[in-house]
Amino acid sequence: NAGVTQTPKFQVLKTGQSMTLQCAQDMNHNSMYWYRQDPGMGLRLIYYSASEGTTDKGEVPNGYNVSRLNKREFSLRLESAAPSQTSVYFCASSAGPYYSPLHFGNGTRLTVT
Amino acid sequence: SQQGEEDPQALSIQEGENATMNCSYKTSINNLQWYRQNSGRGLVHLILIRSNEREKHSGRLRVTLDTSKKSSSLLITASRAADTASYFCATDKGAQKLVFGQGTRLTINP
């Protein structure tokens, strides 16, 4: 049982390049999330998807786009990477919508130079 | 903006001692959750306490919630080296948009 799988694990981009972070869950969860974690800032919600076919902005959505491809997969795209997007990105899922714990992947460590 | 604020930011204790971490928040909540993060890994859910509950236990973990003071505490009893990790509280105002605090870094010394 893999849980939440994120790819890639590490990535280095140059400013202005684009990339897509992939996330898949095998728990038949309805809700999926993208967070970023920066030192001293905790985790901040970028985007979330309450159910297949819906997405909504979180606290820090600027510079990102998302796609809920199907119930299993939720991708995060950086169209034009900036150094301020250097961070660790976590995908999570939950059965949702209330009183459900989040299940996290192990993160993607992104550096933008 | 951060909803939950953990205190202390770092805590170092001897194996076998109890560890207490606190979380304060600003607005009313639906539930509060605690997570653990080992170095280089994703967060792992520990316990969820609803706004109408005051205390909850899970193994060596005890969580309390005081909605009048807008605060929660996580107690880990009889600590072990494997408990070394960062601990985060997360508040849920509804619709599952959890807001995380900055975390407490716990070190258990053998």
Side-chain angles (χ1 to χ4, degrees):
Chain A
N1 190 352
V4 178
T5 303
Q6 292 184 236
T7 55
K9 289 184 170 55
F10 300 93
Q11 184 71 48
V12 178
L13 291 178
K14 294 187 189 306
T15 298
Q17 288 184 320
S18 62
M19 78 162 294
T20 299
L21 282 65
Q22 307 286 352
C23 174
Q25 52 92 7
D26 63 2
M27 295 171 283
N28 200 35
H29 283 168
N30 292 312
S31 303
M32 297 185 74
Y33 311 80
W34 278 105
Y35 283 88
R36 61 177 287 174
Q37 184 176 32
D38 302 294
M41 297 292 291
L43 280 83
R44 292 180 292 169
L45 182 63
I46 304 171
Y47 270 94
Y48 70 103
S49 171
S51 61
E52 185 179 355
T54 68
T55 61
D56 207 347
K57 295 178 181 178
E59 183 186 354
V60 288
N62 291 345
Y64 305 95
N65 285 301
V66 291
S67 295
R68 184 74 183 267
L69 304 169
N70 47 55
K71 192 171 185 179
R72 288 188 64 247
E73 297 172 290
F74 189 38
S75 62
L76 178 71
R77 182 160 178 84
L78 286 70
E79 291 291 351
S80 179
S84 61
Q85 294 178 305
T86 293
S87 187
V88 181
Y89 291 85
F90 288 98
C91 177
S93 70
S94 74
Y98 300 107
Y99 306 117
S100 299
L102 268 61
H103 297 257
F104 283 82
N106 283 325
T108 294
R109 282 142 187 84
L110 175 66
T111 302
V112 183
T113 61
Chain B
S1 61
Q2 300 298 316
Q3 162 79 312
E5 297 289 338
E6 284 96 338
D7 172 62
Q9 290 188 343
L11 178 62
S12 181
I13 61 173
Q14 295 300 120
E15 195 166 14
E17 294 181 338
N18 295 341
T20 299
M21 288 157 271
N22 302 297
C23 171
S24 60
Y25 56 93
K26 296 174 184 172
T27 61
S28 62
I29 60 172
N30 180 284
N31 66 82
L32 185 144
Q33 302 179 30
W34 285 90
Y35 289 80
R36 183 187 74 233
Q37 183 180 35
N38 291 93
S39 180
R41 309 282 289 182
L43 281 72
V44 174
H45 179 260
L46 295 175
I47 201 162
L48 181 154
I49 186 165
R50 301 186 181 202
S51 59
N52 61 353
E53 297 175 314
R54 291 296 167 259
E55 188 169 312
K56 226 172 167 182
H57 296 255
S58 177
R60 294 183 295 113
L61 305 180
R62 174 181 158 233
V63 168
T64 61
L65 179 65
D66 187 334
T67 53
S68 67
K69 295 182 179 178
K70 293 185 171 59
S71 67
S72 174
S73 67
L74 170 67
L75 168 67
I76 303 174
T77 60
S79 63
R80 305 167 182 169
D83 295 328
T84 293
S86 292
Y87 292 81
F88 294 87
C89 70
T91 52
D92 182 4
K93 293 192 286 186
Q96 282 286 105
K97 290 170 67 174
L98 291 185
V99 179
F100 286 82
Q102 297 177 11
T104 292
R105 192 169 59 255
L106 175 65
T107 302
I108 309 299
N109 301 303

